[in-house]
Amino acid sequence: MTTPLVGVLMGSSSDWDTMQHAVQILEQFAVAHEARVVSAHRMPDDMFAYAEAAQGRGLRALIAGAGGAAHLPGMLAAKTVVPVLGVPVASRHLQGVDSLHSIVQMPKGVPVATFAIGAAGAANAALFAVAMLANGDAALRAKLEAFRASQTEAARAMTLPPT
């Protein structure tokens, strides 16, 4: 089994609908990863242990999705120097705006890179992790460049309906 380079974390299994998009991108690029529930509120000791062990286990990035109060990304960042990429998960009442504000408003000195609310944010967080890893991996960089080229070609191939 390959040692994971990226941890994909969420506060609840209900966040999987969003966070699966990060996992799909990591799988597309064949980046070794792990996904698990680590709730900041319901299992803080487990969350702290995960964060404290992350660097020693070889993790190079943590993608943390959280809804509502959205403490998970910031609390992970407080306990590790491994980069934390925060994904706001849409909540029932405030559609993720509450989560976005909670994640993006980290105090100076404890950064969390924050992405868009929902599936796009999860996918982009994974693409950002891939880009970070690609700095030291020529094969991964080539995959990322090919992915970006395919994005360009897809955009160029778009047509608009006749007016």
Side-chain angles (χ1 to χ4, degrees):
M1 180 172 178
T2 306
T3 301
L5 297 175
V6 178
V8 179
L9 307 168
M10 58 213 81
S12 171
S13 61
S14 64
D15 297 338
W16 178 247
D17 287 343
T18 296
M19 298 309 293
Q20 68 180 323
H21 299 281
V23 169
Q24 289 167 1
I25 292 290
L26 295 171
E27 288 174 350
Q28 180 179 345
F29 284 91
V31 171
H33 61 280
E34 62 188 17
R36 61 177 65 169
V37 172
V38 183
S39 172
H41 298 108
R42 294 178 293 262
M43 45 196 295
D45 295 336
D46 295 6
M47 178 201 56
F48 284 147
Y50 185 94
E52 290 167 346
Q55 185 176 16
R57 292 181 48 234
L59 291 167
R60 306 275 301 278
L62 303 179
I63 300 172
H71 286 100
L72 181 61
M75 294 305 293
L76 289 166
K79 297 297 272 184
T80 186
V81 295
V82 174
V84 176
L85 314 177
V87 178
V89 174
S91 56
R92 185 177 342 142
H93 300 291
L94 298 175
Q95 290 73 52
V97 173
D98 50 341
S99 309
L100 173 65
H101 289 175
S102 293
I103 297 170
V104 80
Q105 284 301 120
M106 289 298 296
K108 179 180 178 182
V110 187
V112 171
T114 308
F115 293 83
I117 297 166
N124 280 341
L127 286 166
F128 194 89
V130 168
M132 289 189 326
L133 295 169
N135 281 323
D137 182 333
L140 188 56
R141 185 177 324 109
K143 287 181 186 178
L144 183 57
E145 288 169 350
F147 173 83
R148 295 231 175 135
S150 72
Q151 296 278 295
T152 298
E153 289 308 312
R156 285 184 179 142
M158 291 178 184
T159 59
L160 298 175
T163 55

